[in-house]
Amino acid sequence: LAEIFKEMSLFYRYLGSWIEDSDPDPDEPSAASKSSGIPAKQHVREQYEKFTHTFYDVNAIWLGKETYDLIHEFSGASRDFLNELEHMNKRAGVWLLPDGTNPKDRRKERINPKYFKVRDVLRAEVEASRYIIPYRIVIKEKRRGSLDQEAPERSDGRPRR
């Protein structure tokens, strides 16, 4: 869960760095990618791919259905927004999405609410897991210890594990 949260947060931060830049030219580095010289659209797209790989290919199994659905919704909205951003045009000195919308407004409308909802749910799940996992480990260890004390060997002569 923490890994999903990390990659998602980095994506969100890089996206913000690009959108909030004084000149959000997709083919120029953003504040987050200036040191590497990577164009903003490539930098943000690469982080989006890290986030989706971490979510879908590595850690989705650990999520409940509601959390999975929230992250899936955020991922889809982010993908659509990235596609729009990559086709921004400068009109009268202002960078706008293909439909003429300011990218900052679109982010506030479609991305921010989904991000904050997922962030809050993941934080709550991580916090809850801090109490569940150690409890399960203690119970398992107690069971193992009590079984070993009662019968150090199984009926076939092999030691219990």
Side-chain angles (χ1 to χ4, degrees), residues 17-29:
S17 175
W18 177 14
I19 301 301
E20 299 297 329
D21 200 307
S22 59
D23 183 19
D25 184 336
D27 296 315
E28 294 296 323

Side-chain angles (χ1 to χ4, degrees), residues 2-16:
E3 191 174 355
I4 294 171
F5 181 74
K6 175 191 134 198
E7 299 300 342
M8 181 186 74
S9 296
L10 285 173
F11 162 70
Y12 182 78
R13 194 174 318 148
Y14 294 168
L15 183 64

Side-chain angles (χ1 to χ4, degrees), residues 9-70:
S9 296
L10 285 173
F11 162 70
Y12 182 78
R13 194 174 318 148
Y14 294 168
L15 183 64
S17 175
W18 177 14
I19 301 301
E20 299 297 329
D21 200 307
S22 59
D23 183 19
D25 184 336
D27 296 315
E28 294 296 323
S30 67
S33 65
K34 275 206 191 318
S35 63
S36 66
I38 298 172
K41 70 180 179 184
Q42 180 184 346
H43 188 243
V44 175
R45 175 67 68 180
E46 286 173 358
Q47 185 56 43
Y48 173 77
E49 290 171 5
K50 284 182 189 176
F51 155 59
T52 56
H53 170 74
T54 301
F55 171 50
Y56 290 109
D57 298 340
V58 180
N59 291 304
I61 192 169
W62 301 108
L63 301 171
K65 180 168 175 21
E66 289 178 27
T67 305
Y68 177 92
D69 289 345
L70 286 173

Side-chain angles (χ1 to χ4, degrees), residues 52-108:
T52 56
H53 170 74
T54 301
F55 171 50
Y56 290 109
D57 298 340
V58 180
N59 291 304
I61 192 169
W62 301 108
L63 301 171
K65 180 168 175 21
E66 289 178 27
T67 305
Y68 177 92
D69 289 345
L70 286 173
I71 298 172
H72 180 72
E73 187 179 323
F74 172 76
S75 173
S78 297
R79 180 197 59 236
D80 294 344
F81 187 47
L82 274 178
N83 289 336
E84 291 178 298
L85 286 172
E86 291 176 357
H87 296 96
M88 282 194 304
N89 294 306
K90 199 170 192 175
R91 300 179 200 157
V94 177
W95 285 94
L96 300 173
L97 299 174
D99 67 358
T101 305
N102 184 313
K104 292 177 188 178
D105 295 337
R106 179 67 47 84
R107 179 175 177 236
K108 286 178 190 171

Side-chain angles (χ1 to χ4, degrees), residues 76-144:
S78 297
R79 180 197 59 236
D80 294 344
F81 187 47
L82 274 178
N83 289 336
E84 291 178 298
L85 286 172
E86 291 176 357
H87 296 96
M88 282 194 304
N89 294 306
K90 199 170 192 175
R91 300 179 200 157
V94 177
W95 285 94
L96 300 173
L97 299 174
D99 67 358
T101 305
N102 184 313
K104 292 177 188 178
D105 295 337
R106 179 67 47 84
R107 179 175 177 236
K108 286 178 190 171
E109 171 191 311
R110 294 194 185 163
I111 303 301
N112 290 2
K114 289 175 178 32
Y115 171 78
F116 294 130
K117 193 170 196 173
V118 170
R119 179 197 66 188
D120 294 346
V121 167
L122 283 175
R123 280 184 178 167
E125 285 199 26
V126 167
E127 185 65 28
S129 72
R130 289 183 180 153
Y131 301 104
I132 293 170
I133 293 171
Y135 174 75
R136 288 182 180 162
I137 291 170
V138 167
I139 296 300
K140 189 176 180 179
E141 289 299 318
K142 282 185 178 180
R143 274 193 226 141
R144 181 179 293 156

